[in-house]
Amino acid sequence: MANEKIPYKIYLEESEMPKFWYNLRADMKQKPAPLLHPETHKPITAEELSEVFCDELIRQELDESTALIEIPEEIRSFYKMYRPSPLVRAYCLEEKLQTPAKIYYKFEGNNTSGSHKLNSAIAQAYYAKKQGLSGVTTETGAGQWGTALSMACSYFGLDCKVYMVKCSYEQKPFRREVMRTYGASVTPSPSMDTEVGKRILAEHPGTTGSLGCAISEAVEVASNTEGYRYVLGSVLNQVMLHQSIIGLETKTALDKYNITPDIIIGCAGGGSNLGGLIAPFMGAKLRGEADYRIIAVEPASCPSFTRGAYAYDYCDTGKVCPLSKMYTLGSGFIPSATHAGGLRYHGMNSTLSELYHQGLMEGLTVSQTEVFAAAEQFARVEGILPAPESSHAIKVAIDEAMKCKETGEEKTIVFGLTGTGYFDMYAYEKFHNGEMGTYSPTDEEIAESLSKLPDIK
Amino acid sequence: MANEKIPYKIYLEESEMPKFWYNLRADMKQKPAPLLHPETHKPITAEELSEVFCDELIRQELDESTALIEIPEEIRSFYKMYRPSPLVRAYCLEEKLQTPAKIYYKFEGNNTSGSHKLNSAIAQAYYAKKQGLSGVTTETGAGQWGTALSMACSYFGLDCKVYMVKCSYEQKPFRREVMRTYGASVTPSPSMDTEVGKRILAEHPGTTGSLGCAISEAVEVASNTEGYRYVLGSVLNQVMLHQSIIGLETKTALDKYNITPDIIIGCAGGGSNLGGLIAPFMGAKLRGEADYRIIAVEPASCPSFTRGAYAYDYCDTGKVCPLSKMYTLGSGFIPSATHAGGLRYHGMNSTLSELYHQGLMEGLTVSQTEVFAAAEQFARVEGILPAPESSHAIKVAIDEAMKCKETGEEKTIVFGLTGTGYFDMYAYEKFHNGEMGTYSPTDEEIAESLSKLPDIK
């Protein structure tokens, strides 16, 4: 099909959809460092994890050698409801920019959760159901993950308890109602449901909550409730495994038209979308079969790759989850306000951290206002109203395309468009009204936060 | 492909996408009655219409003989950004219902306007641009049409002034911000921009506005502004023409798999989606080539087909637009509150009205609460969170599928899923909290409203 005109949207046939997830760690010579028990600081065992997590998901979390893991038939059926997602050729953006670059984006927003989060949510719900559990707990900040998990649990008839950061709960009532539509119970965090919630409310009666606190509440409820486990939408390697469907579909679609990307760009929060998108490309790079520039884009307000340390740290502020070796700003780091809630995480997935450490990918930071300007420019020509998180990748894709305009190079750029911004219009409003600031931590703030890292070699 | 397994989603190839719109009136022996001038009550001329409307759109409005009208290349390019829309086989809904019926839906919500409205918006913006105009005006109630027009105008570099019913403007700030993202100016109506707005504000200082008033303001501004025209998102035959792309794609996708529908279901407000979906099927029926049950679903609160009169009436409450012969509840009819804002129109497209009058389609009404119950049921198994308007069709599709369960008939049901409900979560919240009522006008209310119809034979 090399000479065929590339369509605006490449959709795979159902028969071309991936039947396996790809576990990138299998192709890494230097594996990511193991998770450590938060108290003993020794590598955590499957048994220890099983108090909180589902058994099959623990197996996936700890599996560093199986490259291809079969996607169960039930999950593939669900995927068919909203996948394959289109790989879009951004003809209109290219024309607007007058660039010789060829720009493609993998669009994950065409489902009710509005993002790629559903790819892992349905897998986690499936394994929980298969284990005979009656429900799962989780936390949600911006709301995408909670929505995705609600949809997945509804499909498999599983209870779903979501602890939603209180300020989000109040500011995003629509997100809350979507979750309720799918039958989830949504509790503002901190709550009186848990010991940790009661303690925090006693100490800080007016608190609007934090993701760290919501995680601690969700973990506590899962531990104390018969037939429940806790599930998480990012950071973990199991999540990156499930999200590899994004990259696998992208690569199949590109291969179908003999397209080889030069640059692959993803926004980076905890790493779920970035890791999923780049997985098969990074795999080819690790095996020496191909080379690509791979760029992780972070918000200037929360620059874990670009300004953090590569060290063991807690995954949550409550310090109840395992320790992970990763690029981190410190588990106590509070990112200054940014509307891309999905990128406000102090750390980074351990596999991606190791790859970054090995110099196999680049990191870039962009500021909030330039991200929204790029989002608006994109929306006006490509039609899609992007999520603030996704727009970080848009910004850098446009920058790279403009460099091609200067040099005349016809580079092929692929970026991940993780979701839509329908529930982020408050942020767009701030931007339209010129009320949006740009934020960046000082060196002193970062150093102060990093000085509290746990002392682990 | 008859024996091939039907995929979850049928996407046409770009090469299979329609190159012509289909003008259903060409196949009607008894044409719809002509539009009349609101003052003279004589058939309105193209010249008279040209003060307010774009020239090419007037030609399309008045053309009753050309069956196929070519879609300009520029519009087809835009369509490729978000079309073809998928025809979805509702496998999960069928299984949930345990019905032998085969259910398909044409999903028009995968674009930022969130509905099918974009199909006509882009055409209207194109013809306005081609005529050398500098901008267009319109009104919006629920906000779908205003959003779609904003996107279309942004694409062609056309100014867009939207008069948004004041209560919507205040209650739906996110819709407003989406329009602003696309560069539209959005003014709450009534406003001090227009004579009609000033008059209404002087008479009713606290008014929250109405669609009728917003239309009058938009028309006044278009008439008084050099290089501007007024555009409308429903009711007119030109809109139904552009929306025929929905039905044409649906029929091509069904034909590809040798599927013949038994029942075709669409929600009915002003008729844009319904008319577009059924166009090629109704055409085959008119030509005697096939037969289908075609069902128009109305809200109980605004039952123009089922309880209205077939008569000439004003299209707007301000009585500045042409008179149309249609099923109507009277231009002064105020539908009791319903959250499906897109279906709150007193009249109906004239072509659909004539077809209904000839007995070629059925009308059904459903109540608001049963619509939301169906919406929630659908969302939980099919993943998509439907718009309240679309959910009227879902309700009847489920009812028909349940009848098949009783009789054992394997009927093929096709319905139009016009859009998503992301901006309607306030209504979902009312439903979840048990605060949603059902409303239906009394016979006396309808008779009173119909007694004021203009006296035209």
Side-chain angles (χ1 to χ4, degrees):
Chain A
M1 291 205 188
N3 292 318
E4 200 177 318
K5 162 108 161 77
I6 311 293
Y8 278 65
K9 298 195 288 319
I10 306 177
Y11 281 109
L12 301 180
E13 301 287 328
E14 275 183 13
S15 58
E16 297 169 315
M17 285 175 68
K19 296 184 176 60
F20 296 84
W21 291 304
Y22 170 58
N23 182 3
L24 180 54
R25 289 167 292 168
D27 282 313
M28 292 170 72
K29 285 194 192 95
Q30 174 70 45
K31 309 287 183 192
L35 293 173
L36 302 185
H37 192 286
E39 286 162 20
T40 66
H41 294 188
K42 287 187 182 153
I44 200 160
T45 64
E47 198 183 336
E48 287 164 337
L49 287 167
S50 71
E51 291 165 26
V52 174
F53 296 101
C54 301
D55 297 344
E56 184 60 34
L57 293 168
I58 295 168
R59 265 191 288 280
Q60 294 180 351
E61 190 65 34
L62 301 178
D63 186 342
E64 296 186 331
S65 58
T66 314
L68 297 177
I69 294 180
E70 190 168 7
I71 307 174
E73 179 60 37
E74 292 88 339
I75 298 175
R76 285 169 51 208
S77 287
F78 187 88
Y79 279 166
K80 286 178 191 166
M81 283 208 297
Y82 71 101
R83 308 197 67 81
S85 70
L87 180 70
V88 186
R89 172 72 184 269
Y91 282 119
C92 298
L93 179 62
E94 290 171 20
E95 192 182 318
K96 180 76 180 179
L97 300 177
Q98 290 286 302
T99 174
K102 295 172 180 62
I103 309 173
Y104 294 84
Y105 54 92
K106 180 68 168 169
F107 179 43
E108 292 288 322
N110 273 349
N111 71 74
T112 291
S113 80
S115 82
H116 66 293
K117 293 287 181 188
L118 198 51
N119 300 330
S120 183
I122 193 64
Q124 298 197 42
Y126 168 79
Y127 292 118
K129 183 73 183 178
K130 204 175 160 209
Q131 191 176 328
L133 299 175
S134 51
V136 293
T137 69
T138 200
E139 77 292 332
T140 201
Q144 283 103 326
W145 169 247
T147 310
L149 189 68
S150 303
M151 290 176 68
C153 286
S154 156
Y155 185 76
F156 284 123
L158 210 58
D159 288 345
C160 180
K161 291 185 194 292
V162 180
Y163 288 84
M164 188 171 186
V165 177
K166 192 184 254 173
C167 62
S168 272
Y169 182 91
E170 284 161 4
Q171 282 171 13
K172 294 192 168 187
F174 290 177
R175 273 276 180 214
R176 183 185 75 210
E177 287 309 319
V178 178
M179 290 185 252
R180 287 180 74 197
T181 301
Y182 287 94
S185 86
V186 187
T187 306
S189 167
S191 75
M192 295 299 280
D193 287 6
T194 63
E195 293 309 314
V196 62
K198 286 178 202 162
R199 198 167 63 233
I200 291 170
L201 284 171
E203 286 169 22
H204 311 281
T207 181
T208 56
S210 72
L211 205 52
C213 168
I215 293 178
S216 302
E217 288 204 86
V219 170
E220 183 182 323
V221 172
S223 306
N224 296 340
T225 313
E226 181 68 27
Y228 272 67
R229 291 294 185 282
Y230 166 72
V231 297
L232 186 62
S234 190
V235 187
L236 297 176
N237 285 315
Q238 58 187 263
V239 177
M240 220 179 91
L241 173 74
H242 308 146
Q243 295 295 357
S244 70
I245 187 126
I246 304 173
L248 293 164
E249 281 186 9
T250 302
K251 193 157 188 315
T252 304
L254 291 171
D255 288 350
K256 199 169 162 177
Y257 288 90
N258 285 330
I259 304 161
T260 307
D262 298 294
I263 308 173
I264 300 163
I265 302 166
C267 60
S272 72
N273 142 72
L274 177 70
L277 174 67
I278 70 171
F281 300 99
M282 184 61 88
K285 198 164 164 167
L286 287 168
R287 295 189 303 270
E289 297 165 5
D291 197 16
Y292 314 97
R293 271 186 73 197
I294 295 176
I295 305 176
V297 189
E298 306 187 309
S301 59
C302 195
S304 36
F305 268 146
T306 45
R307 297 177 67 195
Y310 187 41
Y312 266 108
D313 194 9
Y314 296 96
C315 291
D316 60 320
T317 41
K319 304 184 181 180
V320 294
C321 291
L323 287 153
S324 175
K325 188 173 179 190
M326 58 183 176
Y327 279 87
T328 178
L329 295 161
S331 67
F333 180 79
I334 309 287
S336 34
T338 161
H339 293 287
L343 304 182
R344 288 186 85 214
Y345 183 67
H346 68 279
M348 184 61 65
N349 166 273
S350 64
T351 301
L352 294 175
S353 292
E354 177 57 29
L355 293 164
Y356 184 79
H357 184 65
Q358 292 176 28
L360 291 162
M361 52 195 280
E362 304 164 35
L364 280 178
T365 58
V366 289
S367 75
Q368 191 169 228
T369 45
E370 61 186 356
V371 163
F372 273 82
E376 188 159 287
Q377 183 178 18
F378 179 83
R380 289 187 183 189
V381 290
E382 287 290 319
I384 297 167
L385 186 93
E389 291 84 357
S390 325
S391 304
H392 286 67
I394 294 175
K395 164 63 183 156
V396 171
I398 290 176
D399 288 349
E400 290 295 330
M402 293 309 285
K403 284 184 203 162
C404 289
K405 188 175 176 175
E406 279 174 32
T407 62
E409 289 173 289
E410 292 186 20
K411 286 189 181 163
T412 296
I413 299 167
V414 174
F415 71 89
L417 190 70
T418 56
T420 51
Y422 303 132
F423 294 99
D424 299 290
M425 294 320 297
Y426 180 69
Y428 274 92
E429 183 176 10
K430 290 263 179 214
F431 175 70
H432 295 149
N433 294 343
E435 294 162 0
M436 181 177 280
T438 57
Y439 308 92
S440 192
T442 63
D443 289 341
E444 291 69 29
E445 281 166 344
I446 292 178
E448 160 73 13
S449 177
L450 291 177
S451 71
K452 294 173 192 153
L453 286 178
D455 185 24
I456 296 166
K457 286 140 291 293
Chain B
M1 292 202 187
N3 291 318
E4 201 176 319
K5 162 112 161 79
I6 311 292
Y8 278 65
K9 298 194 287 320
I10 307 176
Y11 281 110
L12 301 180
E13 301 287 328
E14 276 184 12
S15 58
E16 297 169 316
M17 285 175 67
K19 295 184 177 60
F20 295 84
W21 290 305
Y22 170 57
N23 182 4
L24 181 54
R25 289 168 293 168
D27 281 313
M28 291 170 72
K29 285 193 192 98
Q30 175 70 44
K31 309 287 182 191
L35 293 173
L36 303 184
H37 191 286
E39 286 164 19
T40 66
H41 294 188
K42 287 187 183 154
I44 202 160
T45 64
E47 198 184 336
E48 288 164 336
L49 286 168
S50 70
E51 292 165 24
V52 174
F53 295 102
C54 302
D55 297 345
E56 185 60 33
L57 293 168
I58 295 168
R59 266 190 288 280
Q60 294 180 351
E61 191 64 34
L62 301 179
D63 185 343
E64 296 186 331
S65 57
T66 314
L68 297 176
I69 294 179
E70 191 168 7
I71 307 174
E73 179 60 36
E74 291 88 339
I75 298 175
R76 285 169 51 207
S77 287
F78 187 88
Y79 278 166
K80 285 178 191 166
M81 282 208 296
Y82 71 102
R83 308 198 68 81
S85 70
L87 180 70
V88 186
R89 173 72 184 269
Y91 282 118
C92 298
L93 180 61
E94 290 170 20
E95 191 181 319
K96 180 77 180 178
L97 300 177
Q98 291 286 302
T99 173
K102 295 172 180 64
I103 309 174
Y104 294 85
Y105 54 92
K106 180 69 168 169
F107 180 43
E108 292 289 321
N110 273 349
N111 71 72
T112 292
S113 80
S115 81
H116 66 293
K117 293 287 181 188
L118 197 52
N119 300 331
S120 184
I122 193 64
Q124 297 196 41
Y126 169 78
Y127 291 118
K129 184 73 182 179
K130 204 173 160 212
Q131 192 178 328
L133 299 176
S134 53
V136 293
T137 70
T138 200
E139 77 292 332
T140 201
Q144 283 103 325
W145 168 246
T147 309
L149 190 67
S150 303
M151 291 176 68
C153 287
S154 157
Y155 185 76
F156 284 124
L158 211 55
D159 288 344
C160 181
K161 290 184 196 294
V162 180
Y163 287 85
M164 188 170 186
V165 177
K166 191 184 254 172
C167 62
S168 271
Y169 182 90
E170 284 161 4
Q171 283 172 11
K172 294 193 167 186
F174 290 176
R175 274 277 180 209
R176 182 185 75 210
E177 288 308 319
V178 178
M179 291 184 251
R180 287 179 75 196
T181 301
Y182 287 94
S185 85
V186 187
T187 307
S189 167
S191 75
M192 295 299 280
D193 288 5
T194 63
E195 293 310 313
V196 63
K198 286 178 202 163
R199 200 168 60 233
I200 290 170
L201 284 171
E203 285 171 21
H204 311 282
T207 181
T208 56
S210 72
L211 205 52
C213 168
I215 294 178
S216 302
E217 288 205 87
V219 170
E220 183 183 322
V221 171
S223 306
N224 294 341
T225 313
E226 181 67 28
Y228 271 68
R229 292 292 186 284
Y230 166 72
V231 297
L232 186 63
S234 189
V235 187
L236 296 176
N237 285 314
Q238 57 187 264
V239 176
M240 221 179 90
L241 174 73
H242 308 145
Q243 295 296 357
S244 69
I245 187 127
I246 304 173
L248 292 165
E249 281 187 9
T250 302
K251 192 157 188 317
T252 304
L254 290 171
D255 288 349
K256 200 169 161 178
Y257 288 89
N258 285 331
I259 304 161
T260 307
D262 297 295
I263 308 174
I264 300 162
I265 302 166
C267 61
S272 71
N273 142 73
L274 177 70
L277 174 67
I278 70 171
F281 300 98
M282 184 61 88
K285 197 164 165 166
L286 286 168
R287 295 188 304 269
E289 297 165 6
D291 197 17
Y292 315 96
R293 270 186 75 195
I294 296 176
I295 305 175
V297 189
E298 306 186 309
S301 59
C302 195
S304 36
F305 268 146
T306 44
R307 298 176 66 193
Y310 187 40
Y312 266 109
D313 194 8
Y314 296 96
C315 291
D316 59 321
T317 40
K319 305 184 181 180
V320 295
C321 291
L323 288 154
S324 175
K325 188 173 178 189
M326 58 183 176
Y327 279 86
T328 178
L329 295 161
S331 66
F333 180 79
I334 309 288
S336 34
T338 162
H339 292 288
L343 304 181
R344 288 185 85 213
Y345 184 67
H346 68 278
M348 185 59 66
N349 165 273
S350 64
T351 301
L352 294 175
S353 292
E354 177 58 30
L355 293 164
Y356 184 78
H357 184 63
Q358 291 176 29
L360 291 162
M361 52 196 280
E362 303 164 37
L364 281 178
T365 59
V366 288
S367 75
Q368 191 168 226
T369 44
E370 62 186 356
V371 163
F372 273 81
E376 189 159 286
Q377 184 177 17
F378 179 83
R380 290 186 183 189
V381 289
E382 288 290 318
I384 297 167
L385 186 93
E389 292 84 357
S390 325
S391 304
H392 286 68
I394 294 175
K395 165 63 183 155
V396 171
I398 290 176
D399 287 349
E400 291 295 330
M402 293 309 286
K403 284 184 202 161
C404 288
K405 187 175 177 176
E406 279 175 33
T407 62
E409 288 172 290
E410 293 186 19
K411 286 189 181 165
T412 297
I413 299 168
V414 175
F415 72 90
L417 190 70
T418 55
T420 51
Y422 304 132
F423 294 99
D424 299 288
M425 294 319 296
Y426 181 69
Y428 273 91
E429 183 176 12
K430 290 263 177 216
F431 175 70
H432 295 149
N433 294 343
E435 295 161 0
M436 182 176 279
T438 57
Y439 307 92
S440 192
T442 64
D443 289 341
E444 291 69 29
E445 282 167 341
I446 292 178
E448 161 72 13
S449 176
L450 290 177
S451 71
K452 293 172 192 154
L453 285 178
D455 184 24
I456 297 164
K457 287 140 293 291

